[in-house]
Amino acid sequence: MPTKKPDVDPFAAMESLRTALTEVGIVLPSLAVDAASPHLRLVELGRVRADVAECLAAALQRGGRE
């Protein structure tokens, strides 16, 4: 498990995640920074259809490589 990095900008993290997901053909429509708790620096992944969840799982299992 990665070491916690509390100084990571949630907006940069969100954009990095969006870019990585786009590269493997996955879109999380609700991906956003949680504005209700800025001190926690949360990235909201949102809800996705089951087929998108399956694609995400497959991408993670293959390490993001096609």
Side-chain angles (χ1 to χ4, degrees):
M1 181 146 237
T3 304
K4 184 177 177 183
K5 296 181 181 180
D7 58 338
V8 173
D9 174 36
F11 291 96
M14 177 195 66
E15 288 305 324
S16 178
L17 179 58
R18 184 185 317 274
T19 298
L21 290 170
T22 298
E23 288 175 2
V24 294
I26 298 172
V27 175
L28 299 183
S30 301
L31 184 62
V33 172
D34 181 4
S37 54
H39 62 287
L40 294 177
R41 300 177 182 219
L42 299 176
V43 175
E44 177 68 42
L45 302 181
R47 300 183 327 179
V48 299
R49 295 185 324 260
D51 63 313
V52 175
E54 285 287 326
C55 289
L56 180 56
L60 290 170
Q61 289 169 341
R62 68 178 177 268
R65 295 178 299 279
E66 290 292 320

